[in-house]
Amino acid sequence: MSIGLLGYLIFPQSARGAGSAGVHLLVGPCCADYLVDEGVECNSTSDLLMERSREQSVIHLLIPSLMLLILLLQKLQEAGEQHRNTKLLNGLLRLHREVSPKLAACSDDFSSVYSGSALDMGTVCNLVVSAVACWPVYGWTPSLFQCLLESGPSNVSIALGPKEACGLLCLLGDLFPDEGIWLWKNGRPSLSVIRTLCVGTSIGLHRERDINWYMQPPHFEKLLSRLSPLLDKIAQISLHFTFSALVVVKDLLRVLIVRVACQKLEYASVLVRPVLSWLDDHVSESISLSDMDVFKVQRLLFFLASLLEHPCGKMLLLNEGIVGFLGKALGQIADAFTADDKLITESKVPEKSLLRFTTWCWPVFKSFELICDDGTPLSTSKMHEKLL
C-alpha cells in the first residue's frame, strides 16, 4: 500500500476529476441530516447499496495506508528530519472532517447493521489523529492547533458549523486517553464506546499501544504544552455549542471536557469557566431575562448535569462551585412559586412567569441528585490508576 493511494483518497477531486464531491461516506437512515453532506444521490436501493459498498472499500484501504503513513512519519523523526508538509497536514485534517461527522451521525444507532462501518470509521479517525499528533509532539511546522483554531476568522465559534464543530471536538477528544466508559453513571456517550472498541476490533489489541503512541508520558506532556495556550479559544467554542440542540455535538463536548479533567483539572477548569460565568450572570438577573435566555439557561443546566454523570466531571464542577450556581437557580425557581411571601395557590404569581422557570427544575434537581450520590469522586491520582 503506497502513500500515493493515501493522497488519492485524501484529494479525490484532483484524482478523479471535478465531478467528485469528496470522500462521501454513507451511513444508515439514523443519520442526522445536519451532519451529512448533500450531493450523493442514489436513484434506487441497489444504487445505495453499491455506493455504500464502494465507500466501505475506501475505508478498508485507508486503514493500512494510514498505518504506513504513521510508521513513515515516525521514521522521519528518528532520522532527525524536520518535517514541513502543510499539504499533508491539511489533507489529513480534511479527511478527518469528512469521516468524523458521519461517524458521529450513526453512533446513536450502534446496531448490528451499521456497527462494522462505525468501528471502521472510528479506526480511520483514530489513525488520522495518531498521524497528525506528530506535528505538535515533534515540534513540526505548521502548528496543528493553529491550523485547527487560528486559520479562520477571529470569532471561530460563530464561523464553525455543526459539521466543522463535530470534526474539531472529535479530533481534540481523541488526543486524550479514554475517560473510562464504565465510569459514566448514566447516559454513556456512544462515541466513547466506539472509540474504546474500534482500534482493537479493526486492527487488533496488540496494535493499540502503537496507534496511541502520543498518549505515552514523554509525548503527552509535549502535546499538552502545545495545546494549553489555545484553551481559552476552545472554551469560547465550548460556550457557543453548549446552547446547541445537537446531542451529538454536546456529547463530543462533554467527553472532551471530562477527558481533559481526567488528565489536568486546571485545564478543564479553563474550558468550563465561560459556561459557569455566563450562567451566573444570567441566573442572577433572571427577572429581566428574555424567553430565549431562560431557554439557554435550561440548556446549560442540562449540560452541567451531563458532566456530573462522570466522577471527573463531578470533581471538576464541585471545585468550580457548582453548588452555588445551582442554589441561585433553585432560588429563582422558588421565587416563581411565591409572591410577596404568599403561596401560589393565592394566584399571586403570573402563569407565564411560573412556566418560564419551572423548565429549570428537572436539570437542577438531577444535578443535586448526582452530587449527593453515594459514589464519591475519585482523587486525580486514583482516577489515573483506574484508567490505566
Side-chain angles (χ1 to χ4, degrees), residues 16-266:
R16 302 177 194 174
S20 175
V23 181
H24 294 289
L25 303 169
L26 292 183
V27 289
C30 56
C31 293
D33 292 338
Y34 49 77
L35 287 178
V36 180
D37 286 337
E38 297 179 355
V40 179
E41 295 183 2
C42 299
N43 296 324
S44 66
T45 303
S46 60
D47 290 340
L48 178 65
L49 293 175
M50 288 178 60
E51 187 68 19
R52 183 175 291 129
S53 175
R54 190 158 48 243
E55 290 162 352
Q56 190 65 26
S57 298
V58 172
I59 289 291
H60 288 160
L61 289 173
L62 274 170
I63 292 174
S65 299
L66 288 167
M67 292 176 65
L68 175 59
L69 175 63
I70 293 167
L71 178 62
L72 292 176
L73 292 174
Q74 291 174 341
K75 291 296 183 183
L76 282 175
Q77 174 63 16
E78 292 174 6
E81 295 287 341
Q82 178 64 28
H83 188 60
R84 296 181 178 88
N85 194 326
T86 303
K87 287 186 177 180
L88 177 59
L89 178 59
N90 288 335
L92 289 168
L93 294 178
R94 176 182 169 185
L95 174 62
H96 190 275
R97 282 194 297 270
E98 289 291 329
V99 179
S100 56
K102 279 76 174 179
L103 169 63
C106 68
S107 62
D108 283 338
D109 186 18
F110 193 50
S111 62
S112 58
V113 180
Y114 306 110
S115 58
S117 298
L119 291 172
D120 288 339
M121 284 190 285
T123 301
V124 168
C125 288
N126 278 6
L127 288 170
V128 171
V129 171
S130 181
V132 300
C134 293
W135 273 261
V137 171
Y138 298 148
W140 291 348
T141 55
S143 167
L144 168 64
F145 300 122
Q146 288 181 351
C147 287
L148 283 173
L149 298 169
E150 295 186 352
S151 58
S154 57
N155 197 339
V156 179
S157 60
I158 295 178
L160 287 177
K163 178 181 175 181
E164 291 76 16
C166 180
L168 172 64
L169 296 174
C170 184
L171 191 149
L172 291 174
D174 282 347
L175 288 172
F176 288 83
D178 197 301
E179 77 279 13
I181 59 173
W182 61 89
L183 295 175
W184 290 98
K185 185 173 178 60
N186 292 302
R188 181 180 295 116
S190 53
L191 277 174
S192 289
V193 178
I194 294 175
R195 191 262 175 91
T196 301
L197 297 174
C198 63
V199 174
T201 302
S202 299
I203 301 177
L205 293 173
H206 62 289
R207 299 303 303 272
E208 278 193 279
R209 188 176 181 86
D210 295 335
I211 301 304
N212 296 330
W213 63 273
Y214 55 91
M215 296 182 186
Q216 303 305 315
H219 306 307
F220 192 65
E221 280 77 9
K222 292 181 182 178
L223 193 151
L224 285 180
S225 66
R226 309 272 184 187
L227 179 62
S228 58
L230 297 171
L231 287 174
D232 288 330
K233 182 165 283 191
I234 299 173
Q236 293 304 316
I237 296 174
S238 301
L239 174 62
H240 180 72
F241 283 100
T242 49
F243 302 128
S244 173
L246 308 182
V247 176
V248 168
V249 174
K250 288 202 287 190
D251 268 355
L252 286 168
L253 180 56
R254 67 175 172 136
V255 168
L256 171 62
I257 292 173
V258 166
R259 287 180 180 175
V260 174
C262 289
Q263 303 303 318
K264 272 192 176 291
L265 210 58
E266 58 269 29

Side-chain angles (χ1 to χ4, degrees), residues 337-339 342-351:
F337 279 92
T338 59
K342 295 183 179 181
L343 296 177
I344 191 173
T345 53
E346 299 179 18
S347 302
K348 294 294 182 70
V349 177
E351 183 180 353

Side-chain angles (χ1 to χ4, degrees), residues 275-276 279-281 283-284 297-308 313-314 317-318 320-334 357 360-372:
V275 175
L276 295 174
L279 182 65
D280 186 43
D281 291 342
V283 170
S284 300
V297 170
Q298 179 198 9
R299 290 283 187 190
L300 289 192
L301 290 171
F302 271 115
F303 179 74
L304 295 176
S306 71
L307 287 177
L308 290 168
K314 182 176 178 179
L317 293 180
L318 287 176
E320 294 298 313
I322 183 63
V323 175
F325 296 110
L326 294 175
K328 287 183 179 180
L330 193 60
Q332 297 298 339
I333 295 170
F357 297 108
W360 299 357
C361 290
W362 170 246
V364 170
F365 294 152
K366 180 64 175 176
S367 296
F368 276 121
E369 177 194 357
L370 292 167
I371 290 172
C372 298

